[in-house]
Amino acid sequence: MLCSICTNFDVRELLLKAEAQEPRSFNDPSAPHNLECLRPAVPHFFSQQPDLLSLRSSASGCDLCSCIWQSYAGSAHPNDLADEALRSGVSAGRIYIGTTGWDATLNGLPHIAVIQDGDRGAVRTLASFEVCALRGREPMDHQHLLAKSIYNSSGSEECLQLAASLLRDCLDNHRSCSSCYPISSILPTRIIDVEAVNPKLVDGNGRHETFTALSYCWGGDSHFILTSATEQALREGCPLDQFPATLRDAINVTKALGIRYIWIDALCIFQDSTQDWAEEASRMREVYSGAVVTIAAASASKTTEGIFRDRMILAHPRCWLDWRNGHKTKPRVFLRPGSELWDERMHQSSLNTRGWVLQETLLAPRTLWFGHQQLCFECPKGSVDEAGRTIRIMDMYRSKEFVQRLRERPLSGWKRRLLPILRDLHVPLAMLIPTLSLTNIIRARDLFTIRHRAIVHTPLTLQGYFKPPAENSGLSHFDYWIKIIENYSSRHLSKKTDTLRALSGLAEEFHRATGDTYVAGLWKLDIVRGLSWTREPVRRKRPNGYVEDEPTVSGVYLAPSWSWASILGRTVLFMANNQFDHVKLFAEVLDIDIQLATHDPFGAVNGGSITLRAPIVELDSQNLLDDPPPSTPYPTLLTKIASKIKYGGNSEYGQKHRGYVGQKYAILQLIGWRRAITGTSDNMCFLVLESVEGNESWRRIEVLYFTVRHDVFGDGKDVVQAQAILSEIKPTIRKKVVKII
């Protein structure tokens, strides 16, 4: 039932109008350059209730009003739902139904948006919906604008048939996918054969077969694993009901896909053999890139929870609307709320916080995600969910599209030989060349557009060019690696010593694309910029409500002090993270030495050093935490360092400092940089070093960033402090050769 107002709402006409919108792109300078197919929103298509009080009153007798009110009230603060609050401010503004802006190349369906106008142009979104049709009852026209209803359970026969259909469609129709990823490949060392009633462990023996792989959370101790004691039983075959729920469901998915073999790490790697684990971990790249599809148990935090979920579906969808296409028997569609539309629990699940899962996802040619609310199939062409919505993944760190490009566009041999020479000569390897575009001037409709479009910046690079939709300029291979590290470092690892191991497959992939030498999480060609990292600490909330840094001393060796992998923490950030940034290298690399922990050149390390020739200043302080001595020539610098260590929100010093009598400290000038095009400031990066007892080496213990000039804000407090520090060190800074371990 609809109220007298909502009866006049034509959802079909709204979607057709949204589809007919011309992309704003060229002649609208407000349209971002990186989303030039963005179709503008249609925010005021239908005038609904005059205010929120009216909406609430009508909700009891109108399905559409009820749907909107429930969506708003479900996320609003209780104080905002009181009568007084509903009569004032934005809540008193008129409510409209329209669509959000959308890009057909990124998101295949427009979304309904219910907004409310406020004072001074303020707009508030009350609810978002997707227009859906029941499977088998879709309207005859414009089905591409409608999503489909989801199944009652992700383990139902129909849902598993859909999964098989999505996989088959990719194998049969995606030429770029099938050409890059063969259907069959060499089986791993050991694999589970699911053909018989009782799945069993078998040897791969170098055979070429089609197989799946499982990506999941162990979630604590699991007793159903491969060990020397359980090997015989697993080889003879175990009844399916003896398998933990997640593993059992994964086997059923594999059978439903018509595939005979599945690789599960707990059952295919000896868990009581350090040697076997190290050898098999180094083959992760071959396993996940060789599997025809990886099954991701995104809704399970441990092996006992299982993959499949029953969906919370109402017996009667909340709001039915007529699809007014002129037919005598009007088809009907319904609105699915945004809370059901985007499966945030899948993206924020325990699985997606695991460090190992990043490379499992990126290396896999295809992934079947089993979430709480949606089944989702992902391949280099993009992502399609159970409702039929197609999305191009914009985040490079989790996009199979860009891994495929990495494989298809390796650096050529002459570039691999030329890049080190140009780097040593300090020749820029990438630049944006501003040029006057007569074509754009002719196309422009007004002077305002000419102002924004007349000058174009043409990229010139020798390092590769990956341009995701969400970026203003293309990224090099090394920029792409930085994006991956920034995301990977925010994830959780059960074993802290896995920091480099859990990246080894991706590192090998980048090595094949660039030919560069991998050094403890960084790349030799980009090592100086790679040393500019900082890492956010792990935070915890105390009982009194205050937030403090969680102690994160590993107690074991992780990596050389100059590598981001040398400390525990959260997100790693790099300075100058785009190849077109204007970077000045003050440090010159003379030698890099890495001691590997195993035979895997991309895995864990036991030691390492880097020798630099760089400007350096030895400090006259015996303790960086003390107040600067009165006689010091570096009072501002030492105050800055002490402040950074104590209050800078970084735990590097606390994890690395190893004091002794007679210890020395120094700062090393590493790089200077300025953002390309949008940059408004000149910045510098220094490393803080401490001497190592018993030899002439140094250890990195902190990093400092200075803004030495700002075009917009001028000589603010930070700039004045930075200039004072540069003045203090200028008389004594000298180039020296230093070895950092």
Side-chain angles (χ1 to χ4, degrees), residues 245-267:
T246 299
L247 279 56
R248 180 173 63 248
D249 290 349
I251 290 173
N252 285 327
V253 173
T254 301
K255 288 183 175 182
L257 297 177
I259 298 171
R260 179 173 178 177
Y261 300 101
I262 180 172
W263 188 87
I264 303 172
D265 59 356
L267 305 182

Side-chain angles (χ1 to χ4, degrees), residues 198-201 230-238:
N198 294 338
K200 61 183 178 180
L201 178 70
T230 62
E231 179 184 8
Q232 185 61 33
L234 287 171
R235 288 191 178 277
E236 292 175 355
C238 297

Side-chain angles (χ1 to χ4, degrees), residues 607-627:
S609 65
I610 185 170
T611 304
L612 303 174
R613 181 185 290 114
I616 188 171
V617 176
E618 290 194 24
L619 307 176
D620 57 352
S621 176
Q622 297 297 312
N623 188 336
L624 294 180
L625 297 179
D626 291 342
D627 293 332

Side-chain angles (χ1 to χ4, degrees), residues 24 74 187 207 238 285 309 358 460 477 520 616 740:
R24 298 190 304 178
L187 289 178
R207 292 173 292 149
C238 297
R285 177 187 177 277
R309 292 291 180 272
L358 180 62
L460 178 63
H477 292 83
I616 188 171
I740 309 174

